[in-house]
Amino acid sequence: MQGFGRGRWLQIAAPVDLYRTARAEVVPLARSDAGASRRYAKVKRGLEILLRDRPDCAVRVTLGGDEIPRGSGFGSSTADLGAALRAGMDALGLRGSCEAVAGAALQVEPTSGSLLPGLVLFDHRGGTIREPLGPPPALNILCIRLPGVVDTVTFNRGLPTRLPEHALRAWRDAFRLCADGIAHGDLGKIGAAATASAAAAHHLGCPPAPPGLEACARATTALGILRAHSGTVWGLLYPEEETPTPEEVSDILNHGVAVTVPVLPARSSATVASVQLVGGGCRVAPPSEMRLSSQLDARGPPEVRSEADAAPPL
């Protein structure tokens, strides 16, 4: 969910079980580069913030876990920063927390509340509101990834400065409904709140739902519809034990409803994917799960090394 309330842009992220992995090592100052790609530029800025009070230290980070799509709304940049900063803090022996990681990431760009444990009502631009809502309920999400990319920073810069009163009421009611649903395990309330937030997103300049999505939600008795506000991903919410397969949803979207233009490639499990709602926050990744290039190891034994991963939001 994403909208405006209490004088802030607020979000309740839906962290899912896709992860970005980071490996960090303390290195001599002359070897402190974190890579030259745009992906690493944000990580480098985050590490500079992390090391402001430690000018005698340098950290090199390598990222893995490339299953998270970029520019689609899965929060890949948040996951990059979260994993890299947490790994860097551990490598330096700093007493870091998820709060500290989120605070450093916010100084780089708007950041998802998925860096904090559980589910959180979060001011994703300034971090001034960070209200824990509780652990994630047993929900699965059928993600529907449409073509195109959206840059999070550009999207946030373009948010409107004035909003109609009925939109503010809709978000206020939706945030309350979602918080109550999480607190009491009421999946129907969570689904209804997500659907209301997705509908109100047109006030932010977001495009409408793809043709056939609402019909597909009814046909598969989804609890609700959610969307990545700064992205091209949509989702259908289901109780954990009542989730249809990606192929079933793809088939309905392409053949089971009357649409003039196919929304998705027929039976494309790569475009429609099933993920599980999980709690946010950084985790220590077992070595067996590291999916990093051996290039880092070839540079010689590190002085200190740490590994962490972070879950992105939908």
Side-chain angles (χ1 to χ4, degrees):
M1 296 182 55
Q2 188 168 313
F4 195 82
R6 304 190 203 177
R8 301 284 188 275
W9 289 104
L10 298 176
Q11 175 198 80
I12 301 176
V16 299
D17 57 344
L18 298 175
Y19 298 89
R20 181 76 77 226
T21 306
R23 175 181 292 166
E25 59 175 332
V26 178
V27 297
L29 288 173
R31 301 169 59 199
S32 61
D33 65 289
S37 68
R38 183 180 180 187
R39 175 186 182 187
Y40 277 96
K42 294 177 180 180
V43 169
K44 185 176 181 180
R45 287 169 58 196
L47 291 174
E48 289 171 350
I49 292 167
L50 186 67
L51 295 171
R52 278 175 182 166
D53 298 326
R54 300 182 65 115
D56 57 327
C57 293
V59 174
R60 178 189 288 122
V61 169
T62 299
L63 296 171
D66 291 324
E67 69 273 22
I68 304 174
R70 298 188 171 281
S72 298
F74 276 101
S76 59
S77 292
T78 291
D80 281 351
L81 282 165
L85 292 172
R86 182 54 190 267
M89 294 174 82
D90 289 350
L92 290 166
L94 299 178
R95 289 192 171 184
S97 65
C98 290
E99 291 277 348
V101 169
L106 280 166
Q107 295 181 60
V108 178
E109 67 174 6
T111 296
S112 165
S114 65
L115 293 182
L116 302 175
L119 301 180
V120 183
L121 179 66
F122 189 62
D123 166 12
H124 58 99
R125 300 178 77 178
T128 58
I129 296 174
R130 309 181 186 190
E131 292 184 8
L133 300 178
L139 284 170
N140 285 339
I141 304 170
L142 265 259
C143 296
I144 300 157
R145 183 185 176 198
L146 301 179
V149 297
V150 175
D151 180 80
T152 301
V153 175
T154 302
F155 174 83
N156 276 272
R157 286 175 180 164
L159 289 174
T161 56
R162 291 187 178 183
L163 292 159
E165 182 58 34
H166 68 274
L168 298 177
R169 285 197 303 270
W171 279 316
R172 182 169 58 246
D173 293 344
F175 279 123
R176 288 175 179 169
L177 186 64
C178 187
D180 187 63
I182 294 170
H184 296 95
D186 190 324
L187 304 185
K189 287 184 177 181
I190 297 171
T195 301
S197 179
H202 72 90
H203 295 291
L204 310 181
C206 298
L213 186 64
E214 292 183 3
C216 181
R218 291 192 297 269
T220 58
T221 61
L223 294 167
I225 297 171
L226 73 167
R227 68 175 303 158
H229 291 70
S230 57
T232 61
V233 177
W234 290 78
L236 300 175
L237 283 167
Y238 299 93
E240 203 170 64
E241 68 281 1
E242 300 174 20
T243 308
T245 67
E247 289 79 9
E248 289 172 322
V249 168
S250 181
D251 191 58
I252 290 173
L253 283 170
N254 284 281
H255 304 293
V257 294
V259 294
T260 56
V261 179
V263 180
L264 304 167
R267 305 179 186 277
S268 173
S269 59
T271 305
V272 182
S274 180
V275 294
Q276 183 179 14
L277 185 70
V278 299
C282 299
R283 299 152 170 81
V284 175
S288 61
E289 295 183 9
M290 295 295 291
R291 293 176 292 279
L292 302 180
S293 167
S294 61
Q295 180 182 5
L296 182 65
D297 294 335
R299 292 172 178 157
E303 297 173 35
V304 182
R305 180 173 294 163
S306 179
E307 299 159 357
D309 59 22
L314 176 65

